Amino acid sequence: MRKKIVAGNWKMNLTLAQGEQLINDILATGLKLTEGQEVVICTPFPYLTKAKALLKNYQGFYVGAQNCHSEKAGAYTGEVAAEMLKSIDVDYVILGHSERREYFQESNAMLAKKVDQALASGLKPIFCCGEPLEIRQAETQNAYVAKQLEESLYHLTEEQLKDVVIAYEPIWAIGTGLTASAAQAQDMHAFIRSQIAAKYGREAALRISILYGGSAKPGNAEELFACPDVDGGLIGGASLVAADFTAIVSKLG
Ligand code: PEP
């Protein structure tokens, strides 16, 4: 059975003390994960070690970074390599978030290299894909997402793909308060799974976890997570509020 995952993306928010408090508040709720469920807390780089220490004795709780560089090492001032993240016991890394694509010009080709670095270092990529509003309005979102998958993931072997999580995040829904309807999410998730099946076969498609992201909240998480091809969520704003985040996790079922 594929994993059910809720990942919180803190983005560039919180001080270390606030982040520590947030994790302690989440843990204090006594949230229990069942077999096959995971929570991934994706903090800014400087807090990863602390987050890992706080979560290490909690079954099913993992730590993720929000980016890594496309090269293994070298003269890239200010950048962080996948291997460095692994060396401090980071488990996951978000790659291809729409904010990285937009503000840091991350292309599908560059993301393919980042995915390679992450996997080579033993990190699990949470690979984000999703269309902007004008593409959704033109009803060409399937072709748009298919190209993102093809250009950033399809060079991987089936074995490598086992460590990849996909997050479908329609850009028009991120931080906007607009959520994709459960039907829109299910349609796209089923499409993504069918694309994976066409490239890697049915078993690989049934194994891969596909998360939904875009204004997910306690009030809509249950309906989204009830969709057969939605395997959890990548949560931005609501991951900064312990009660909201834990309420969303509890909707995993
Ligand atoms: C995100 O940034 O990945 C995200 C889904 O944000 P939000 O939940 O705030 O829309």
Side-chain angles (χ1 to χ4, degrees):
M1 211 31 216
R2 55 182 177 260
K3 284 186 286 190
K4 303 278 182 186
I5 302 169
V6 172
N9 175 13
W10 289 3
K11 310 193 185 188
M12 196 174 74
N13 291 299
L14 309 178
T15 61
L16 177 60
Q18 289 167 335
E20 203 175 332
Q21 183 70 51
L22 176 55
I23 291 177
N24 284 330
D25 287 348
I26 291 168
L27 295 174
T29 63
L31 184 67
K32 288 275 176 298
L33 303 175
T34 58
E35 179 80 26
Q37 292 184 346
E38 292 188 3
V39 166
V40 186
I41 311 272
C42 301
T43 79
F45 290 131
Y47 312 156
L48 287 164
T49 304
K50 185 74 197 180
K52 186 70 189 181
L54 291 171
L55 294 170
K56 100 169 168 276
N57 294 325
Y58 291 84
Q59 181 74 30
F61 285 80
Y62 296 92
V63 166
Q66 300 170 18
N67 180 34
C68 70
H69 199 264
S70 54
E71 298 295 331
K72 186 174 163 60
Y76 300 99
T77 302
E79 290 296 315
V80 174
E83 207 172 66
M84 297 172 183
L85 297 170
K86 191 62 194 177
S87 76
I88 56 165
D89 287 334
V90 170
D91 307 290
Y92 283 88
V93 60
I94 298 173
L95 293 177
H97 191 282
S98 62
E99 289 151 14
R100 301 280 329 165
R101 291 176 187 265
E102 181 179 355
Y103 305 134
F104 301 94
Q105 289 76 49
E106 295 194 358
S107 65
N108 291 341
M110 181 197 284
L111 289 166
K113 293 177 73 180
K114 291 191 177 206
V115 168
D116 287 345
Q117 290 301 335
L119 290 172
S121 303
L123 296 175
K124 294 178 178 154
I126 300 175
F127 176 77
C128 301
C129 56
E131 78 286 356
L133 185 60
E134 62 275 16
I135 295 290
R136 170 64 62 168
Q137 284 168 339
E139 298 180 8
T140 53
Q141 66 272 11
N142 286 8
Y144 188 92
V145 169
K147 187 165 155 49
Q148 291 178 318
L149 299 175
E150 185 185 336
E151 294 184 358
S152 300
L153 295 183
Y154 286 4
H155 63 290
L156 299 177
T157 64
E158 188 186 339
E159 195 55 32
Q160 287 177 307
L161 194 75
K162 286 181 182 165
D163 285 327
V164 175
V165 172
I166 294 175
Y168 168 59
E169 300 209 304
I171 299 171
W172 45 272
I174 296 179
T176 59
L178 284 178
T179 317
S181 67
Q184 285 172 320
Q186 170 55 26
D187 280 357
M188 179 56 86
H189 283 229
F191 172 73
I192 292 171
R193 207 176 296 287
S194 74
Q195 295 292 291
I196 298 291
K199 170 72 185 168
Y200 290 97
R202 190 166 176 271
E203 211 178 295
L206 290 176
R207 191 190 305 122
I208 197 161
S209 299
I210 308 175
L211 316 184
Y212 168 79
S215 299
K217 302 180 264 295
N220 58 25
E222 188 163 10
E223 199 189 355
L224 288 162
F225 295 172
C227 297
D229 287 295
V230 176
D231 305 311
L234 178 53
I235 315 299
S239 74
L240 298 172
V241 179
D244 288 352
F245 187 65
T246 50
I248 291 171
V249 175
S250 74
K251 309 290 188 209
L252 275 179

